[in-house]
């Protein structure tokens, strides 16, 4: 099992093209941990904004009667991928991992696979 800090470090080092990563509480919109980012990517602002994305998707699924879990949400920009992975079980309800990737350097399939593995090893 990996701590939050170790999990974020692993995401930044193991996932090719990682620009920034955060663990976010979508009930409050607060980032519980961040790593990376920079002047062009404020991860605390991104965490709060993506909380609205997660809440909207959950509400929409409820209104449609869809009773499945969200694995991840992908937002594709011109130069970046933004990947939101909801954490399931072990006290992870209400949390998600948020990963920003450089589109030119990242392998999206591998990033999704690695983020899923990191999520399963995350100790909360």
């Amino acid at each position: 099992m990996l701590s939050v800090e170790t999990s974020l470090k692993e995401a930044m080092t193991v996932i090719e093209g990682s620009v920034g990563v955060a663990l976010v509480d979508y009930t409050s919109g607060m980032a519980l941990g961040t790593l990376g980012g920079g002047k062009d990517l404020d991860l605390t602002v991104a965490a709060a904004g993506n909380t609205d994305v997660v809440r909207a998707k959950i509400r929409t699924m409820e209104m449609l009667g869809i009773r499945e879990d969200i694995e991840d949400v992908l937002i594709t920009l011109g130069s970046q991928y933004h990947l939101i992975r909801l954490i399931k079980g072990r006290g992870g309800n209400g949390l998600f991992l948020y990963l920003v990737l450089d589109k030119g350097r990242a392998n999206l399939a591998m990033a999704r696979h690695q983020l899923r593995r990191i999520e399963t090893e995350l100790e909360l």
Side-chain angles (χ1 to χ4, degrees):
M1 295 303 246
L2 302 174
S3 70
V4 171
E5 182 180 338
T6 304
S7 296
L8 298 178
K9 285 180 183 175
E10 184 159 343
M12 288 298 292
T13 57
V14 172
I15 301 174
E16 185 77 23
S18 294
V19 176
V21 63
L23 177 66
V24 184
D25 178 347
Y26 68 80
T27 58
S28 68
M30 290 182 57
L32 305 177
T34 63
L35 191 60
K39 68 178 183 72
D40 294 331
L41 178 61
D42 184 332
L43 287 169
T44 56
V45 171
N50 283 296
T51 293
D52 292 335
V53 171
V54 171
R55 289 178 186 164
K57 187 60 187 171
I58 290 171
R59 269 194 317 273
T60 301
M61 289 177 60
E62 288 171 354
M63 291 183 334
L64 293 172
I66 298 173
R67 304 220 188 295
E68 295 185 45
D69 291 331
I70 299 170
E71 285 185 33
D72 56 41
V73 176
L74 173 64
I75 300 167
T76 305
L77 305 178
S79 64
Q80 295 178 334
Y81 293 120
H82 291 230
L83 188 57
I84 300 167
R85 177 154 187 92
L86 276 71
I87 297 177
K88 296 170 187 65
R90 300 176 334 278
N93 290 339
L95 300 178
F96 66 87
L97 284 165
Y98 171 63
L99 177 67
V100 179
L101 300 164
D102 178 315
K103 196 173 177 182
R105 296 185 306 123
N107 177 324
L108 183 57
M110 284 303 296
R112 290 182 71 219
H113 174 74
Q114 291 292 344
L115 196 59
R116 182 181 316 117
R117 182 190 54 76
I118 290 168
E119 180 239 338
T120 61
E121 295 176 2
L122 178 62
E123 184 176 301
L124 298 170

